[in-house]
Amino acid sequence: MVEAVQGAGVVVTGAGGGIGAALARRFAAEGARVVVNDLDGVKAAAVADEIGGVAVPGDASAIVSEARDALGGTVDVYCANAGVAFPGEEPGQEVDEKSWSLSWDVNVMAHVRAANALLPDWLERGSGRFVSTVSAAGLLTMIGAAPYAVTKHGAYAFAEYLSLTYRHRGVKVHAICPQGVRTDMLDATGSAGDLVLKPTAIAPEDVADALFKGMAEDRFLILPHPEVAGYYEARAATPDRWLAGMNHIQQRWEEAR
C-alpha cells in the first residue's frame, strides 16, 4: 500500500475504460476518493458507480476546477491518462493536420493545462502528485503512428520538466511508459500494433500494479514492460543501430501489407 494514497483526492482522466479505469479502480481499492473523467459520460458514470467515486465527464483539459470541487477543494493526485491515437498509417501516406492538432491537444496540451491549474495549490502546500500515462512510444517510437509517437515524446518531456523543476518543492511526478496494453486503443493500431505490440501486450491492471510499485519506490519512470529499459538504453548508446533495427520492423510491416 502507498500510504499517501489513503484518503487522497485523485483525478483520473480517460477513465471510462482501459488503463484509466484500471487506475481508478486501484486508487479506490487503496482508499482514495476518486473522480472519474471521460468524454463519454455514460462510461465515466459506470466506473464511478462501480468504485464509489464521482463522475466528472468532459474534456480532460478543462475539468480541474470541477474535479477539485467534487473532492471537497483539494486534488492530491492527478492522473493525466486521456489520450488519442489513430489507426496505423499506410506507408508513405501523410497524416492530415487535423489529426496532428488533436493529438497535440489531447496528448500534450491537456497535461500542460492541468499542471498549470494544479501547481499553484500544490506549491503552496508543498505536496502533489502528477501521473502521466505516456507510452513506450514516448521513449522509443512506433511505426505507422507519427502523431502518436511524436506527441508522446512531448508528454514524456513535459513530465520530465515537471519533475526536475518541482521535485524539491514536494511535487512528485511519474511517467508510465508501457508497450502494448490490451485496450480498445491497441485494437485501433491495426496491423502495426498486431506486429509490434500485441505479442507482449499486458492487461490494464498490470499497468496499475506497476504504477503503485513505482510510487512506493518513489520512481519517476514506470516501465510495466521492464525490457523497455534495455531498448531505451540501446537507442541512446547506438542510435544508428537502433534506427536500423526499427527500419527492419518497418520493412516487415510493409511487406506484410
Side-chain angles (χ1 to χ4, degrees), residues 9-190:
V10 178
V11 179
V12 185
T13 67
I19 293 174
L23 293 177
R25 292 184 181 109
R26 181 61 181 271
F27 274 104
E30 297 285 344
R33 298 171 293 114
V34 182
V35 163
V36 178
N37 162 260
D38 201 275
L39 273 177
D40 188 323
V42 174
K43 289 183 178 180
V47 175
D49 288 345
E50 174 193 337
I51 66 173
V54 179
V56 177
D59 185 342
S61 296
I63 55 94
V64 169
S65 179
E66 187 177 352
R68 184 185 285 123
D69 290 343
L71 291 169
T74 302
V75 174
D76 300 296
V77 182
Y78 186 91
C79 298
N81 173 77
V84 63
F86 298 94
E89 303 148 24
E90 293 285 346
Q93 286 189 353
E94 297 294 331
V95 181
D96 63 88
E97 289 198 11
K98 183 178 180 181
S99 298
W100 275 102
S101 180
L102 181 61
S103 297
W104 278 112
D105 196 59
V106 176
N107 294 346
V108 181
M109 292 310 300
H111 297 203
V112 175
R113 295 182 190 114
N116 287 344
L118 293 160
L119 281 169
D121 179 57
W122 285 358
L123 296 176
E124 182 178 349
R125 59 190 173 96
S127 66
R129 193 182 296 267
F130 194 94
V131 179
S132 176
T133 300
V134 179
S135 168
L139 292 176
L140 306 170
T141 191
M142 177 60 190
I143 63 170
Y148 185 77
V150 172
T151 57
K152 288 298 186 177
H153 273 71
Y156 183 77
F158 183 64
E160 274 190 327
Y161 177 82
L162 287 179
S163 183
L164 69 89
T165 304
Y166 299 113
R167 60 170 49 207
H168 67 292
R169 299 182 65 181
V171 177
K172 298 181 181 295
V173 182
H174 309 279
I176 311 174
C177 296
Q179 292 193 109
V181 182
R182 293 192 288 273
T183 65
D184 291 343
M185 186 176 285
L186 176 59
D187 292 337
T189 60

